[in-house]
C-alpha cells in the first residue's frame, strides 16, 4: 500500500512517516514538494504518485498568525484540504485529514466527543472547521482525525519551552484557563498507522487520555525533571494574544472507544516518555 503524507515535514507528519515506513511505501511532501493551496499542483501530484491513502497533516498552525492573516489561514487550512479531497476523490485514494480541538468553543465544561457541535472562537479554528466541511462534502472517502496540544521531537512547542526554562532556571509563563489533552506525536502516529488499513470513515478524536491546564502541565514536567523554576501564572485575560483560545477544549476518543480500538496512553505517561527521551532525565 502506498501512503502520501502532505505535511510530511512537520511535527506530526515526520512521526507518521517514521511509524509507517516499514509497513507502507511512504511519499513525503512538504510545501517545497507540493503547495497544497495550488489546486492544479495537488491534482498532478496525486495523479503522479497514485497513493492508496493520503494523510493531510499540512496546516498553518500558528494560531495568532491566522488571526491577523485570514486569507493565508483559509487558503492553507480550508482550500488546501479541499484541493486534496478533490484529487483523492478522482484518483480513488482514501483521505485521512488531521484537524483540531480548536473547532470547539470550550464552553461545554467537559471533554468533547465527536458528537458535539463545533463552534470555533478564532480564525485558526474557523479555517480548520471549513477544511473539515469541505473534506466531508467532497465525495472523497475520508476520516477526519482531531487532536490537540501536540508535542514531539520535530518542532519546538510548549513542552520544550517549559523543559528548557527549567533547565536554564528561567521564568515560565503559564495560563491556567486553557485546558486540553496533551498528545505525543509518536502515540498519535501509532494510532494513525493502525487506522490506515481499516476501511473506516467519519470523525475520530485521537489524543492522549485525560486533560490538564497549561499550569498543571508545567507542574507535571517539573515533577518528571525533579527540578523547578519560577512560574508566572496568568489568566487568558492577562496573557495578551491576538487570538482567543478555548478555555476547555479537551477531547475524548469516543469513536475509537466505541470501536474498541482506543490504545492511546494517558497524557502523564506520554509526557514522561517524551521528556525522558528528549531531555535524558
Ligand atoms: N501542533 C498542535 O498542537 C496541533 C494541535 C491540534 C491539531 N493540530 C493539527 O495537526 C496537524 C499537524 O500539525 P503540526 O503541528 O505537525 O504542524 P507543523 O509542525 O506546523 O507542520 C506543518 C506542515 O504543513 C506544511 N505546510 C504548511 N503550509 C503548506 C502549504 N501551503 N503547502 C504544503 N504544505 C504546507 C509544512 O511544510 P513545510 O515545513 O515544508 O513548509 C509542514 O510540513 C495540523 O492539521 C494541525 O492543524 C496540531
Amino acid at each position: 500500500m502506498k501512503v502520501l503524507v502532505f505535511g510530511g515535514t512537520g511535527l506530526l507528519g515526520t512521526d507518521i512517516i517514521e511509524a509507517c515506513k516499514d509497513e507502507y511505501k511512504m511519499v513525503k511532501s512538504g510545501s517545497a514538494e507540493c503547495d497544497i493551496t495550488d489546486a492544479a499542483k495537488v491534482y498532478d501530484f496525486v495523479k503522479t504518485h497514485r497513493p492508496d491513502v493520503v494523510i493531510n497533516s499540512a496546516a498553518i498552525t500558528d494560531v495568532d498568525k491566522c488571526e491577523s492573516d485570514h486569507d493565508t489561514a483559509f487558503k492553507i487550512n480550508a482550500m488546501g484540504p479541499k484541493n486534496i479531497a478533490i484529487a483523492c476523490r478522482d484518483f480513488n485514494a482514501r483521505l485521512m485529514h488531521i484537524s483540531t480541538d480548536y473547532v470547539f468553543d470550550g464552553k461545554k465544561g467537559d471533554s468533547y466527543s465527536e458528537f458535539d457541535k463545533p463552534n470555533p472562537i478564532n480564525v485558526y479554528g474557523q479555517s480548520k472547521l471549513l477544511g473539515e466541511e469541505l473534506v466531508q462534502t467532497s465525495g472523497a472517502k475520508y476520516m477526519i482525525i482531531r487532536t490537540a496540544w501536540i508535542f514531539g521531537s520535530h518542532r519546538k512547542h510548549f513542552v520544550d519551552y517549559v523543559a528548557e526554562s527549567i533547565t536554564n532556571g528561567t521564568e515560565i509563563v503559564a495560563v491556567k484557563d486553557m485546558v486540553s489533552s496533551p498528545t505525543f506525536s509518536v502515540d498519535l502516529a501509532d494510532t494513525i498507522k493502525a487506522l490506515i488499513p481499516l476501511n473506516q470513515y467519519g470523525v475520530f478524536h485521537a489524543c492522549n487520555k485525560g486533560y490538564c491546564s497549561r499550569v498543571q502541565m508545567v507542574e507535571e514536567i517539573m515533577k518528571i525533571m525533579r527540578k523547578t523554576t519560577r512560574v508566572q501564572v496568568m489568566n487568558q485575560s492577562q496573557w495578551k494574544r491576538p487570538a482567543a483560545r478555548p478555555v476547555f477544549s479537551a477531547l475524548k476518543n469516543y469513536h475509537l472507544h466505541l470501536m474498541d480500538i482506543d490504545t492511546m496512553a494517558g497524557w502523564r505517561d506520554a509526557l514522561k516518555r517524551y521528556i525522558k527521551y528528549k531531555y535524558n532525565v
Side-chain angles (χ1 to χ4, degrees), residues 143-201:
M143 289 175 77
I144 288 167
I145 300 163
R146 294 195 191 121
T147 191
W149 288 12
I150 302 177
F151 57 90
S153 300
H154 306 291
R155 176 168 64 73
K156 296 266 182 196
H157 40 71
F158 183 72
V159 176
D160 290 329
Y161 157 68
V162 172
E164 283 166 18
S165 302
I166 293 170
T167 305
N168 301 331
T170 51
E171 185 182 82
I172 295 163
V173 174
V175 176
K176 65 177 176 208
D177 54 349
M178 260 171 75
V179 174
S180 194
S181 306
T183 299
F184 189 11
S185 54
V186 167
D187 290 2
L188 178 56
D190 284 343
T191 286
I192 290 169
K193 180 187 175 188
L195 290 172
I196 289 174
L198 306 186
N199 195 17
Q200 278 295 325
Y201 82 100

Side-chain angles (χ1 to χ4, degrees), residues 9-12 31 34-36 57-59 61 98 124 128 150 155:
T9 51
L11 175 60
L12 174 62
S31 52
C34 179
D35 180 348
I36 63 165
S57 190
T61 54
I98 313 299
Y124 170 72
K128 291 291 293 183
I150 302 177
R155 176 168 64 73

Side-chain angles (χ1 to χ4, degrees), residues 37 47 123 125 134 161 207 248 263 274:
T37 67
K47 189 179 179 184
V123 172
L134 290 165
Y161 157 68
C207 291
F248 192 114
T263 57
Y274 174 70

Side-chain angles (χ1 to χ4, degrees), residues 48-115:
T48 303
H49 289 286
R50 291 299 176 108
D52 302 288
V53 172
V54 172
I55 299 174
N56 179 32
S57 190
I60 173 167
T61 54
D62 184 333
V63 176
D64 290 323
K65 185 155 186 272
C66 288
E67 208 65 19
S68 60
D69 189 351
H70 293 205
D71 283 2
T72 301
F74 279 90
K75 269 188 186 160
I76 298 176
N77 292 344
M79 298 299 114
K82 183 180 76 163
N83 296 336
I84 293 168
I86 289 169
C88 286
R89 181 196 63 200
D90 287 3
F91 298 106
N92 202 26
R94 284 190 289 120
L95 173 57
M96 299 171 81
H97 173 66
I98 313 299
S99 193
T100 173
D101 57 326
Y102 279 19
V103 297
F104 294 110
D105 60 21
K107 292 178 184 155
K108 182 182 171 187
D110 194 3
S111 303
Y112 287 93
S113 87
E114 297 82 350
F115 303 117

